Amino acid sequence: MEKALVAGQWTRARSGATFDVIDPATGQKIAAVPDLGADEVNLAIAAAYRAQKPWAKVTAKDRASSLRTFYDLIVANADDLAIILTAEMGKPLQEAKTEVLYGAAYVEWFAEQAKRIDGDVIPSYQLDKRIFVVKRPVGVVGAITPWNFPSAMLARKLAPALAVGCSLVAKPAAQTPLSALALGVLAERAGLPPGVFNIVTSTDAAMVGSTLCASELVKKISFTGSTNVGRILMRQGADQIKKLSLELGGNAPFIVFDDADLEAAVEGAVAAKFRNAGQTCVSANRIYVQSGIYDTFAEKFSRRVSRLRVGNGFAEGSELGPLIDANAVKKVNAHLENALSLGARVTVGGEPNRASEQFFLPTVLVNVTSEMTIAREETFGPLAPLFSFDTEEEVIAMANDTEFGLAGYFYSRDLGRIFRVAEELETGMVGINTGQISSEMAPFGGIKQSGLGREGSKYGADDYLDIKYVCLSVG
Ligand code: SIN
């Protein structure tokens, strides 16, 4: 596992360079993986190119069957994959297993979808012509995945790509390459042909991104990560009009109206805010509570948050693990300090854990206002700011006052309001009376500067397909 997967071979860097993978909970080295350069990335691209056409010629039924075997192997090895994930990323073991199975569900789903890439026959504009529509795989895909879901985010790119007959060069985040490499081992055991799924490990994300974008052989980039890097990839892909799927930053509003079931809203807010210690792009970043219930909600929510258990992901009962690195802790602190300096108040938490600064205590802030940094920037940590609002109109304006548009959540029991607010929120996904919306069966993705394209669901394969119109003259 301490090698990269290039052209069906487990390989070291030609230079011999490696980089360390660190357990964020302990700061200890757990592995070293090859630090590949541009030459090796190009070798992986060339291998993916050679492998793609034969793979596209495998029948959909047989591709589906290979993916199904891959899915079965992921499920059978879920406990080990979860241990690897917790060791490199820090999330609690049970949550890691949930992530592994969440990723596996995309593989299962797209194994099923592989057989349903249907075309069309369209009524013709002339009696002597017939119009057909067929769908073709785009070709080689560059997949760049983040550290916060090192298993699931890769699975949800590789599954649709492989299902429709594309091949893949995947670049996992430097902090968390081991989950990707473990999936590579299982893909090999599932019998996926060499070169169809390559994994390039590197500390130089910019080099890998620009090499993928510069290659004429790579037809599409699928990226999950920050909006800034998404912009760079878009610019770099512009010369070749490279196809892009971008799943970028969010700044999710979570609105609690005064007609909501408060207990359910508290649980939903905990789920939407503290999953993965707040390190998800769909985390509730701004919690808006209607003024009449603000104090009651703040009190119930703070009490619930004070019961969350923080600790090493391998420790029994841990609900929040460490943040990924020192920069992540710094960012949460900066948002906290800024809010406090402008008049916010901590009701629970509010500091890095004394035992280790990498663990930030789950924190609730009250008296938060839209002038604070936390209202505009994604915190990516366990800091829950409570804003107050008076009217539905006001809160919709506040919720939409951001360049991001990934997820939004609200709690209400008023049917008219449920439809109005769901329609008005400028986000690609809306959770109503729930803080948990992710599923392989639903289209995951954003609008505005949160991205392009959708992952999962019946729409998820489209991002990996070209539509070809065939016109037949029947003479
Ligand atoms: C992400 O944070 O990028 C993905 C979260 C999810 O799939 O629920």
Side-chain angles (χ1 to χ4, degrees):
M1 262 202 22
E2 298 192 339
K3 294 179 184 162
L5 182 58
V6 176
Q9 303 290 325
W10 290 97
T11 354
R12 298 184 198 283
R14 280 179 177 167
S15 65
T18 60
F19 63 93
D20 292 345
V21 184
I22 305 294
D23 176 349
T26 61
Q28 301 294 309
K29 170 181 165 180
I30 51 172
V33 298
D35 200 356
L36 300 184
D39 284 354
E40 289 120 324
V41 176
N42 278 315
L43 280 178
I45 294 171
Y49 183 73
R50 284 193 304 276
Q52 190 266 321
K53 284 200 170 52
W55 177 241
K57 288 205 164 82
V58 169
T59 63
K61 196 173 162 82
D62 286 345
R63 278 202 308 274
S65 156
S66 296
L67 281 175
R68 178 71 209 192
T69 309
F70 186 25
Y71 163 76
D72 289 338
L73 284 168
I74 299 174
V75 173
N77 290 281
D79 288 332
D80 289 345
L81 292 168
I83 290 170
I84 293 168
L85 208 166
T86 294
E88 68 177 347
M89 193 272 151
K91 69 178 61 172
L93 195 55
Q94 189 49 46
E95 198 175 338
K97 187 162 176 190
T98 304
E99 177 187 334
V100 168
L101 295 176
Y102 172 45
Y106 284 94
V107 180
E108 181 189 43
W109 172 264
F110 283 107
E112 291 156 358
Q113 291 300 99
K115 293 178 278 186
R116 299 188 185 106
I117 308 302
D118 301 338
D120 268 316
V121 180
I122 293 178
S124 179
Y125 59 98
Q126 280 179 357
L127 285 178
D128 63 347
K129 289 200 172 132
R130 302 291 179 270
I131 299 175
F132 304 100
V133 174
V134 291
K135 296 186 181 166
R136 306 290 305 151
V138 295
V140 176
V141 175
I144 306 175
T145 56
W147 52 260
N148 62 339
F149 288 87
S151 189
M153 294 305 100
L154 176 56
R156 90 174 172 199
K157 296 184 192 310
L158 73 82
L162 297 182
V164 304
C166 295
S167 60
L168 209 78
V169 177
K171 153 75 175 79
Q175 295 95 328
T176 55
L178 302 179
S179 294
L181 295 172
L183 287 179
V185 171
L186 297 180
E188 214 175 26
R189 283 188 203 160
L192 287 170
V196 155
F197 175 28
N198 303 272
I199 306 167
V200 293
T201 50
S202 176
T203 48
D204 194 346
M207 175 279 291
V208 178
S210 61
T211 306
L212 290 169
C213 285
S215 171
E216 299 266 3
L217 302 183
V218 176
K219 298 300 178 212
K220 181 199 168 75
I221 304 288
S222 177
F223 168 70
T224 297
S226 73
T227 296
N228 267 342
V229 173
R231 284 192 194 99
I232 295 171
L233 291 169
M234 219 169 175
R235 280 190 207 108
Q236 290 178 341
D239 282 347
Q240 295 172 22
I241 320 290
K242 195 88 74 191
K243 285 183 186 304
L244 286 172
S245 291
L246 300 174
E247 203 257 273
L248 307 175
N251 182 4
F254 185 107
I255 306 167
V256 188
F257 288 102
D258 57 10
D259 59 74
D261 173 341
L262 272 201
E263 305 299 331
V266 165
E267 285 310 314
V270 167
K273 178 69 248 184
F274 296 106
R275 172 181 175 224
N276 206 14
Q279 302 173 108
T280 91
C281 56
V282 288
S283 291
N285 205 54
R286 300 167 288 155
I287 302 177
Y288 294 106
V289 187
Q290 202 153 11
S291 45
I293 53 161
Y294 186 90
D295 290 339
T296 316
F297 180 86
E299 198 256 311
K300 284 179 187 290
F301 182 59
S302 303
R303 202 166 343 115
R304 175 71 182 84
V305 171
S306 69
R307 295 205 308 269
L308 290 173
R309 280 167 295 177
V310 182
N312 188 308
F314 288 112
E316 188 68 33
S318 283
E319 292 168 289
L320 272 81
L323 298 189
I324 190 70
D325 55 26
N327 277 341
V329 178
K330 211 164 129 194
K331 185 167 189 194
V332 180
N333 258 324
H335 282 195
L336 176 63
E337 292 304 325
N338 169 272
L340 294 178
S341 73
L342 293 171
R345 182 168 60 78
V346 167
T347 61
V348 54
E351 52 186 319
N353 192 320
R354 276 183 200 85
S356 159
E357 295 221 333
Q358 202 70 12
F359 292 81
F360 205 96
L361 291 178
T363 299
V364 179
L365 281 175
V366 291
N367 303 339
V368 183
T369 61
S370 50
E371 288 70 47
M372 299 172 186
T373 310
I374 204 164
R376 294 184 304 278
E377 285 180 19
E378 194 176 20
T379 306
F380 236 64
L383 180 57
L386 304 189
F387 301 74
S388 170
F389 71 93
D390 289 319
T391 66
E392 185 180 308
E393 207 179 22
E394 179 194 6
V395 77
I396 287 172
M398 289 162 98
N400 290 340
D401 186 18
T402 167
E403 69 268 31
F404 298 108
L406 192 59
Y409 309 85
F410 66 94
Y411 273 70
S412 170
R413 286 184 282 201
D414 175 328
L415 196 54
R417 168 174 278 164
I418 284 175
F419 277 93
R420 283 192 306 273
V421 177
E423 283 161 14
E424 289 299 322
L425 281 179
E426 294 171 357
T427 56
M429 299 176 281
V430 182
I432 307 165
N433 297 331
T434 177
Q436 203 290 99
I437 54 173
S438 305
S439 160
E440 81 284 4
M441 296 187 204
F444 193 103
I447 59 170
K448 294 161 84 175
Q449 293 183 33
S450 285
L452 299 172
R454 292 294 178 270
E455 298 194 299
S457 81
K458 68 171 181 174
Y459 306 102
D462 295 347
D463 280 30
Y464 297 88
L465 290 165
D466 284 326
I467 285 181
K468 183 180 272 184
Y469 153 45
V470 179
C471 182
L472 171 71
S473 169
V474 290

